[in-house]
Amino acid sequence: SQIGGCDALNIDAAPSSGGLGRSLYFSWILDRKNSNITDVNIEPMDKLMYLDRLADLIASFSGQAFDVDGKICQNPNCLDSVGNNSAPRYKNCFCNVIQIPFVSYPSGKYTVELTVSNWQNSESSPASISVTKQLKAIPIVTIDMYSSDSNRMLSVNRS
């Protein structure tokens, strides 16, 4: 998959299953072995800084599928700056979806890995998705599929 210069990285793992009605736990990581920055104008130490920052940001999306109080799932998209001189807090956090603006990241290949587990600590096999960040604008193409039968599932994998 490719993302353009001004696009966001969006990965939705909400259709994951195995919780039997209970909340699943999503563990997101940046696969550093399969991620690299290809922009030749960036110094090696700066490349490491970008990857470190992105790895921390991706890991912050780890947690329960939905965490109303933001106790475990503390992704930056659910940080609520309450106002009235109150401290910001996390609320209504969804950790089954990653949404990261990618405009500030240089061109390169980034691989995100996800593992899902349930309340019995049964864990899925890791699933990876790699995206290539381009500096130019690229039209966004999506596949949206719906089924009225919850037992019917169509998996789409791109490599």
Side-chain angles (χ1 to χ4, degrees), residues 54-105:
L54 182 59
D56 290 344
L57 183 57
I58 288 172
S60 74
F61 284 85
S62 294
Q64 290 178 321
F66 178 69
D67 186 358
V68 71
D69 297 322
K71 292 179 181 171
I72 297 172
C73 175
Q74 295 187 345
N75 78 60
N77 295 334
C78 66
L79 184 60
D80 182 21
S81 53
V82 180
N84 298 334
N85 295 326
S86 298
R89 63 184 173 164
Y90 293 92
K91 70 175 197 175
N92 299 327
C93 294
F94 287 89
C95 280
N96 54 7
V97 176
I98 285 184
Q99 296 173 327
I100 300 174
F102 239 60
V103 67
S104 64
Y105 289 96

Side-chain angles (χ1 to χ4, degrees), residues 136-152:
K136 61 185 177 190
I138 299 173
I140 298 173
V141 179
T142 63
I143 298 173
D144 298 317
M145 294 180 282
Y146 301 96
S147 172
S148 61
D149 181 0
S150 63
N151 292 323
R152 292 174 54 201

Side-chain angles (χ1 to χ4, degrees), residues 28-32 49-60 105:
W28 299 93
I29 63 167
L30 176 68
D31 182 349
R32 298 290 294 263
M49 180 202 63
Y50 276 111
L51 291 173
D52 288 343
R53 190 172 62 179
L54 182 59
D56 290 344
L57 183 57
I58 288 172
S60 74
Y105 289 96

